[in-house]
Amino acid sequence: DEQVERAANSARFACAAGAGRLPICHRQPPPDESTAKDLDTFCAVVEEIGHRCREFEVELCFLPRAQHLVATEKEIARLLASTKADCVKLALDTAEVSMAGSSPARVIKNSIDRLRSVRYRDVYAGKRKARGASGQPGSVPQFGRGSVDFEGVSKALRASGYGGWSVLDVTGESHLPAAAVEMGHRFL
């Protein structure tokens, strides 16, 4: 109930600020042995948050994160199948999906009807640690030099006619932000 109220307050603020979407993710990694019941409960809570967001005419966009309860392609599909399409949309971070061992392009193809934003972010191959552990400058490769298949991501988005937000994220890269964004833009 506390999490639902906290999210409802965020939706109220988003509405007052003129925003139409509220991206959320869960903060805590799952216990080592999460069960199907844990995921079902989590899906029900996310859907309830989505209902509350709709009260403020704000779309809830769930952002999966590596090493959390909803991280892999299969878990993302289960969340979307277990929640109503008018209550829960998807925000995708290419690095998080890759760190979870899934293909961002496949997630896009399988969930395009619910996809509302894509964060283009790179990651080193095999780097599967929680996001909180990777926030140091230089912990992210120069855009396009990591393991994310950006060509596959872009092809999947173009093939689907995607019209939502796409964001280039270079947080943690060793270059100054303006230079990192310029290099990332040139790469894309």
Side-chain angles (χ1 to χ4, degrees):
D1 290 342
E2 180 183 326
Q3 294 299 320
V4 172
E5 274 311 305
R6 188 175 297 162
N9 286 335
S10 295
R12 184 179 296 110
F13 176 79
C15 178
R21 294 194 174 120
L22 178 67
I24 69 161
C25 59
H26 48 99
R27 296 182 58 145
Q28 299 300 320
D32 289 338
E33 295 187 23
S34 298
T35 65
K37 184 178 179 183
D38 293 331
L39 187 55
D40 289 341
T41 301
F42 183 77
C43 291
V45 170
V46 170
E47 185 171 70
E48 178 59 27
I49 292 171
H51 280 294
R52 295 296 304 276
C53 287
R54 288 182 61 206
E55 292 173 17
F56 302 101
E57 298 180 9
V58 172
E59 271 187 325
L60 168 77
C61 297
F62 184 79
L63 177 67
R65 295 180 61 189
Q67 296 186 354
H68 285 69
L69 192 59
V70 175
T72 66
E73 188 175 340
K74 182 178 175 182
E75 293 158 348
I76 294 167
R78 183 162 179 184
L79 172 77
L80 296 178
S82 299
T83 57
K84 294 179 181 173
D86 62 339
C87 290
V88 179
K89 305 300 182 186
L90 181 66
L92 185 79
D93 180 318
T94 58
E96 295 289 344
V97 171
S98 294
M99 285 188 290
S102 295
S103 162
R106 252 192 334 265
V107 171
I108 289 166
K109 289 175 189 173
N110 294 333
S111 59
I112 194 65
D113 57 325
R114 308 264 294 264
L115 187 63
R116 293 299 182 268
S117 70
V118 177
R119 181 188 302 170
Y120 280 78
R121 191 165 65 100
D122 216 342
V123 67
Y124 287 113
K127 189 154 192 162
R128 292 193 180 165
K129 47 180 165 171
R131 181 178 173 85
S134 64
Q136 299 300 317
S139 64
V140 175
Q142 180 179 331
F143 199 86
R145 293 193 177 175
S147 62
V148 174
D149 175 16
F150 291 113
E151 185 175 346
V153 167
S154 295
K155 283 181 179 179
L157 291 172
R158 281 193 307 273
S160 71
Y162 176 73
W165 279 86
S166 294
V167 178
L168 173 63
D169 185 343
V170 294
T171 306
E173 199 188 293
S174 59
H175 292 86
L176 293 173
V181 168
E182 183 180 334
M183 287 185 283
H185 184 261
R186 266 188 274 135
F187 174 81
L188 287 177

